[in-house]
Amino acid sequence: MLRAAVAAQTDVGKKAQAIMKAGGLVSDDIVVGIIRDRIRDPDCRFGFILDGFPRTLVQARALDKMLSEEGAAVTKVVELQVPDGVLEERICGRWIHKKSGRSYHIKFAPPKSMKLGPDGKPIPESMTDNETGEPLMQRPDDTAQALKKRLASYHGETVPILDHYRPHGVVKEVNANQGMDGVWNEVLGSLSR
């Protein structure tokens, strides 16, 4: 939404663009303004999904205020539940081919070239793209150390959002520690009216 608002040169998009060009972080007020503009579009008249926002209780309260002014409210919050240990396995095992965006995983979708070292971990030089043979890479935030910080942030800042919405009966829990079909069916079920 942010990129689209900048590209469309909306008033709020122009403010965001100026801040980003200066190397700053776009404020919650600007993000909420972008959401306000976007949900006024005709394709949102029957509802919309926000992914990754709000991330803090302050953002949730700002979103609630804006929606109230628009005559709306949060009606569903879907919590994808996965044990932290499983997240570590999933995230730290990811490798990508940067040019194409192809994604690999050392356990679930390893590249054909993968070789393991004596420690049982992949030898980085052996991690190459199946189609081009070019080297794969791990994103800097796909490490155990970075994940610990992300999880601490999630538990400290995002979990309180669930507690904020739970009394309203809108939080739906989905077991995301299962196959894709099972997760998809639970997500669909949680979104039903």
Side-chain angles (χ1 to χ4, degrees), residues 14 66 78 87 89 174:
K14 289 176 187 175
M66 179 274 292
V78 180
L87 285 174
E89 176 185 51
V174 170

Side-chain angles (χ1 to χ4, degrees), residues 19-158:
I19 292 167
M20 291 186 303
K21 278 187 178 176
L25 294 174
V26 178
S27 72
D28 292 345
D29 289 341
I30 290 176
V31 173
V32 170
I34 289 170
I35 293 169
R36 179 191 305 267
D37 288 351
R38 179 64 182 91
I39 66 173
R40 289 177 173 166
D41 288 349
D43 64 331
C44 293
R45 72 176 177 259
F46 296 116
F48 55 91
I49 295 173
L50 298 176
D51 179 12
F53 189 88
R55 289 183 186 223
T56 67
L57 196 51
V58 170
Q59 290 174 345
R61 289 183 175 136
L63 177 66
D64 291 343
K65 181 177 183 286
M66 179 274 292
L67 289 174
S68 176
E69 292 166 0
E70 295 293 317
V74 171
T75 58
K76 303 279 190 219
V77 175
V78 180
E79 178 191 10
L80 301 176
Q81 297 180 327
V82 181
D84 290 357
V86 172
L87 285 174
E88 183 172 355
E89 176 185 51
R90 288 182 186 177
I91 291 171
C92 296
R94 291 192 299 203
W95 288 72
I96 60 167
H97 181 246
K98 192 169 183 174
K99 283 185 192 173
S100 69
R102 278 186 290 280
S103 183
Y104 296 88
H105 191 280
I106 61 172
K107 180 177 178 182
F108 305 113
K112 295 173 189 170
S113 61
M114 184 175 82
K115 304 263 185 288
L116 300 178
D119 60 358
K121 294 182 179 178
I123 299 169
E125 296 76 28
S126 75
M127 301 296 284
T128 59
D129 181 55
N130 288 348
E131 292 185 30
T132 66
E134 295 171 339
L136 300 178
M137 63 166 285
Q138 282 192 292
R139 290 178 14 187
D141 59 345
D142 282 354
T143 65
Q145 196 170 3
L147 178 61
K148 284 180 186 163
K149 287 181 185 173
R150 288 164 65 189
L151 288 173
S153 174
Y154 172 78
H155 291 295
E157 295 181 9
T158 305

